[in-house]
Amino acid sequence: MTVSYQYEVASSTSGGFTRLLFMWRGSLYKLIYRELLLYLILFGTMSALYRHVFTISQKKEFEKVVLYCDILIKSIPLSFVLGFYVSYVAQRWWKQYKAIPWPDKVMHLVALYITGNDEYSRMLRRSLMRYLNLSLILVLRSISSAVKRRFPTLEHVVDSGFMTTLELELYQSVPSVEFNTYWIPCTWFINLLKEARMNHRLPDAQGLKIIMEEFNEFRTKCGLLWSYDWVSIPLVYTQVVTLVTYSFFAVALIGRQHIDGVEKEFQLMIDKYLPIFTILQFFFFMGLLKVAEQLINPFGDDDEDFELNWMIDRHIKVSYLGVDTLMNRCPPLVKDIYYDSENLNLPYTEAAAAYKKKTYRGSVANMTVPEEKQMMFLPDILEEEEEEGGKGNTPRTSTASLSNLNESPVIEKRQISGSPSTTRKMARNCSETVVQLDGQEQPAEGEQRRVLVEAVKKFSSLAKGPTSRPELKKSFFPVLTKSSRPVMRPWPSTTSISRHAQPSAFTPTIVETDPWANDSSQNSPNSAEDPEEQQPSVSSQGETSQEGVANTAFSSDKLKNIPDDRDDTVERHSSEPGPTYQCTVGWKPTTSAKIRRLSN
């Protein structure tokens, strides 16, 4: 069994690990003291021959060999090869221990689901557990030298009570020339479990399923143990590590000699007969090699090997107690001393009073937030997707900004965000109102709302005003028969321009102009009439009948008696080759109005 020293290092104190250096069983000294003693004898003999036996010429040749070995000993990759090998062996050693099956789970399930206190039920439960442990014994007997010494033959297994004479005959009757037959008791276990099911000793089908699942896990681990013994670490790997280690110290046996007359690196007088640092290297490297030798097969007789015979005894005793003896020795059902208590105050001894600690509530459990900062509100913070969406050049058709530009103090100019590089096209050298679709800063919410309200009121009043021109009674938006033309729809604020998806992208621009401002000298005398009678009718924002109709009514004739500040012109520009449309809104055209197509 492995040497346990957990109690010695239960608490970190001064000299905690130092006390472990004086332990002998399983210690480093016990592993390498023979090799170290032989190495020191050889080292001393070599030193004595150099000083007292060799001639002068022999000494010179020996000194050359010493220098050669001392320089080239650094080229041996001992640390890398040995460290990796020992790490792998240690991992494999722990996996082999975890592969050892324990019958405790099957024991509890058998005691739970196989009912009855009569003699047949007791024999049934005990036989099931005996077959289970017999399989483990047969496996360990074929892979462990310690178990093999305990059961040299199968008759010793029978004499120990783990198998009957009839069972031995049945076991030996199975041909076992080409494979191991440790699994035969597992078949007996299954047949006995099937018999218990047929005799209604195992009435629960779910219980049978659970027992078989745990039995299969036990059987798998038995096979895994046998596989670990069958498939070892590749022999060449072990040979390489062993050869590297012994070669290193064979070269060091000569290269670490103290020579006279030649200055050698790190050479001291004390190293003549006792090489201090070479001994330390021997402890380290040879100790690691011996550790690997112990852990590579934990089923032997070393101090760090598993105590398998103790496990066999433990499993048999616990199995019989769990399925037979302890089933009828249950204590009566009583109330515990804390039955009526809600807040339990559990006792401690005086020696353990220091282990009573306060409950950990969390790192910020005692953190306090000022009362003035505890008011709940909804912060107006844009989400990350919205912030990223606002940084692109995609036109935002749902946002409109109205601002006064400094180009004309009289005419209002309205802008919708568009591309910052939106081109402006002047219509007949008139002032214009540009609506762009991107990039520019939006005015304050209150200012924007005020401007929008004023614009709506202005155009609403123009729409309600009378007119003396019979031509103005005609429909303002003539319907286009060709579906290929773009469609202009009212914008959500006052005037909107939209169209169906076209293959070529363009940047729409709304332009409000006075197309005949330069021809004011040609106005008729009727221009002095009452402005209210001459107010043009404007289609309001709420008229849904105008959707799907293009605002492409243009007139080449000059309207008379129309004030200069009431003319709106819609113009569409495209950065790519395509048609350009322009329309005049805010008044009804004459009968001579027609659609004109302009090229860029």
Side-chain angles (χ1 to χ4, degrees):
M1 196 65 176
T2 57
V3 180
S4 178
Y5 54 88
Q6 297 297 318
Y7 176 72
E8 283 75 9
V9 294
S11 59
S12 178
T13 58
S14 58
F17 278 8
T18 307
R19 293 193 297 268
L20 302 179
L21 297 178
F22 300 98
M23 299 179 63
W24 176 255
R25 183 171 178 267
S27 64
L28 174 64
Y29 323 117
K30 186 177 180 180
L31 289 176
I32 67 170
Y33 77 94
R34 297 183 182 87
E35 288 82 356
L36 179 60
L37 182 61
L38 178 61
Y39 187 80
L40 292 178
I41 292 175
L42 292 177
F43 189 89
T45 302
M46 191 72 64
S47 179
L49 291 176
Y50 168 71
R51 288 172 174 79
H52 304 288
V53 178
F54 291 167
T55 61
I56 297 177
S57 60
Q58 292 176 344
K59 286 183 179 182
K60 291 182 180 181
E61 294 295 331
F62 183 77
E63 290 173 356
K64 293 179 181 180
V65 175
V66 169
L67 293 175
Y68 177 79
C69 294
D70 185 63
I71 294 174
L72 296 182
I73 194 175
K74 301 176 183 178
S75 61
I76 300 177
L78 178 59
S79 301
F80 172 76
V81 176
L82 188 58
F84 188 80
Y85 180 77
V86 173
S87 176
Y88 179 75
V89 170
Q91 293 178 8
R92 190 174 185 270
W93 170 80
W94 180 245
K95 290 179 181 178
Q96 290 182 81
Y97 175 77
K98 292 174 66 177
I100 299 176
W102 292 62
D104 296 53
K105 291 184 178 180
V106 181
M107 173 193 70
H108 292 304
L109 293 174
V110 168
L112 174 62
Y113 290 107
I114 299 181
T115 59
N117 294 324
D118 55 330
E119 185 176 357
Y120 176 78
S121 299
R122 290 182 59 195
M123 292 173 57
L124 180 62
R125 292 191 294 267
R126 293 175 70 95
S127 297
L128 286 172
M129 298 309 301
R130 183 169 59 85
Y131 292 155
L132 200 67
N133 287 285
L134 179 59
S135 297
L136 178 60
I137 292 172
L138 294 178
V139 171
L140 295 179
R141 182 175 172 270
S142 59
I143 67 175
S144 174
S145 59
V147 179
K148 183 69 173 180
R149 289 190 180 94
R150 182 178 179 180
F151 306 108
T153 61
L154 292 176
E155 284 75 11
H156 291 83
V157 179
V158 174
D159 295 340
S160 300
F162 301 118
M163 183 187 295
T164 63
T165 304
L166 179 61
E167 293 170 351
L168 177 60
E169 294 178 358
L170 293 175
Y171 180 82
Q172 292 178 341
S173 64
V174 178
S176 58
V177 178
E178 298 180 355
F179 49 84
N180 198 325
T181 56
Y182 67 87
W183 47 269
I184 293 179
C186 294
T187 62
W188 301 344
F189 180 93
I190 295 175
N191 291 329
L192 197 57
L193 203 62
K194 187 189 302 182
E195 180 182 346
R197 176 63 175 169
M198 295 175 61
N199 295 334
H200 303 286
R201 302 291 180 171
L202 183 56
D204 192 353
Q206 182 67 19
L208 176 62
K209 175 179 178 295
I210 297 175
I211 291 176
M212 283 303 301
E213 289 177 352
E214 296 299 331
F215 165 76
N216 289 333
E217 183 180 356
F218 189 94
R219 167 68 178 81
T220 301
K221 288 188 174 182
C222 289
L224 187 58
L225 279 179
W226 188 81
S227 299
Y228 272 122
D229 182 76
W230 178 34
V231 181
S232 302
I233 297 177
L235 178 62
V236 61
Y237 195 8
T238 305
Q239 289 177 342
V240 167
V241 174
T242 305
L243 184 61
V244 167
T245 305
Y246 282 100
S247 299
F248 178 85
F249 287 104
V251 174
L253 186 65
I254 301 175
R256 300 297 171 82
Q257 293 288 337
H258 185 278
I259 56 180
D260 300 330
V262 179
E263 291 295 334
K264 193 177 66 170
E265 187 178 8
F266 304 114
Q267 177 174 266
L268 299 177
M269 293 298 297
I270 196 175
D271 292 336
K272 282 187 176 182
Y273 300 100
L274 190 64
I276 303 298
F277 285 95
T278 304
I279 294 175
L280 293 178
Q281 284 184 323
F282 193 92
F283 270 102
F284 302 152
F285 296 132
M286 191 61 69
L288 287 176
L289 184 64
K290 290 298 180 180
V291 167
E293 289 181 6
Q294 274 201 337
L295 301 184
I296 195 171
N297 183 14
F299 305 120
D301 300 326
D302 296 327
D303 293 335
E304 297 295 336
D305 291 343
F306 305 143
E307 194 64 49
L308 299 178
N309 286 313
W310 174 88
M311 287 186 179
I312 293 173
D313 298 341
R314 183 263 173 198
H315 292 345
I316 291 294
K317 294 178 181 179
V318 171
S319 298
Y320 287 161
L321 288 174
V323 300
D324 185 23
T325 306
L326 298 180
M327 290 190 64
N328 298 323
R329 295 184 182 180
C330 296
L333 186 63
V334 296
K335 294 182 180 180
D336 57 87
I337 61 176
Y338 305 108
Y339 188 78
D340 296 325
S341 301
E342 295 183 358
N343 188 13
L344 303 183
N345 189 11
L346 303 178
Y348 278 74
T349 62
E350 183 178 357
Y355 297 105
K356 179 66 175 179
K357 303 294 182 182
K358 293 182 179 181
T359 303
Y360 179 71
R361 302 294 181 182
S363 60
V364 296
N366 298 326
M367 176 183 172
T368 58
V369 180
E371 295 183 359
E372 60 272 10
K373 294 184 179 181
Q374 294 182 5
M375 182 179 298
M376 305 294 291
F377 70 97
L378 297 176
D380 188 11
I381 300 177
L382 294 177
E383 296 295 337
E384 183 177 357
E385 295 180 357
E386 298 180 4
E387 293 178 356
E388 292 178 355
K391 297 178 181 179
N393 293 328
T394 304
R396 303 179 59 182
T397 58
S398 61
T399 305
S401 63
L402 299 178
S403 61
N404 295 328
L405 300 180
N406 296 325
E407 295 181 0
S408 177
V410 179
I411 301 176
E412 295 181 354
K413 299 183 179 181
R414 182 169 60 250
Q415 289 187 354
I416 299 176
S417 60
S419 175
S421 60
T422 303
T423 61
R424 301 179 179 181
K425 184 175 182 180
M426 302 298 296
R428 299 182 182 179
N429 298 324
C430 299
S431 58
E432 60 182 1
T433 301
V434 181
V435 183
Q436 295 183 350
L437 295 180
D438 193 1
Q440 296 190 3
E441 297 181 357
Q442 303 293 338
E445 183 178 359
E447 181 67 18
Q448 179 182 358
R449 184 178 301 175
R450 184 184 64 80
V451 175
L452 288 175
V453 171
E454 292 178 357
V456 172
K457 288 181 179 180
K458 176 180 177 181
F459 290 108
S460 298
S461 62
L462 294 176
K464 295 179 180 179
T467 178
S468 60
R469 297 178 61 86
E471 295 85 351
L472 298 178
K473 296 180 181 179
K474 295 181 179 181
S475 175
F476 173 64
F477 298 104
V479 180
L480 297 179
T481 58
K482 294 182 178 180
S483 61
S484 61
R485 294 294 182 90
V487 179
M488 312 303 297
R489 297 183 181 179
W491 186 53
S493 60
T494 57
T495 303
S496 176
I497 295 179
S498 64
R499 68 183 182 92
H500 297 293
Q502 297 295 334
S504 62
F506 62 87
T507 304
T509 305
I510 299 177
V511 183
E512 291 185 5
T513 65
D514 188 358
W516 301 292
N518 296 334
D519 299 334
S520 60
S521 60
Q522 300 178 7
N523 291 340
S524 63
N526 297 332
S527 60
E529 294 179 3
D530 188 1
E532 295 181 358
E533 297 180 357
Q534 299 177 3
Q535 290 178 353
S537 62
V538 181
S539 59
S540 61
Q541 177 183 353
E543 292 179 356
T544 60
S545 64
Q546 304 299 333
E547 294 183 5
V549 180
N551 299 339
T552 58
F554 302 94
S555 176
S556 61
D557 298 337
K558 300 178 181 178
L559 296 180
K560 309 297 183 179
N561 302 327
I562 301 301
D564 295 342
D565 57 349
R566 296 179 183 177
D567 295 329
D568 296 331
T569 298
V570 179
E571 182 176 359
R572 172 179 299 168
H573 298 284
S574 176
S575 59
E576 297 180 0
T580 302
Y581 300 98
Q582 181 177 8
C583 65
T584 303
V585 299
W587 46 268
K588 294 184 177 180
T590 62
T591 56
S592 61
K594 60 182 179 180
I595 302 174
R596 182 176 59 187
R597 178 175 180 179
L598 304 177
S599 60
N600 287 339

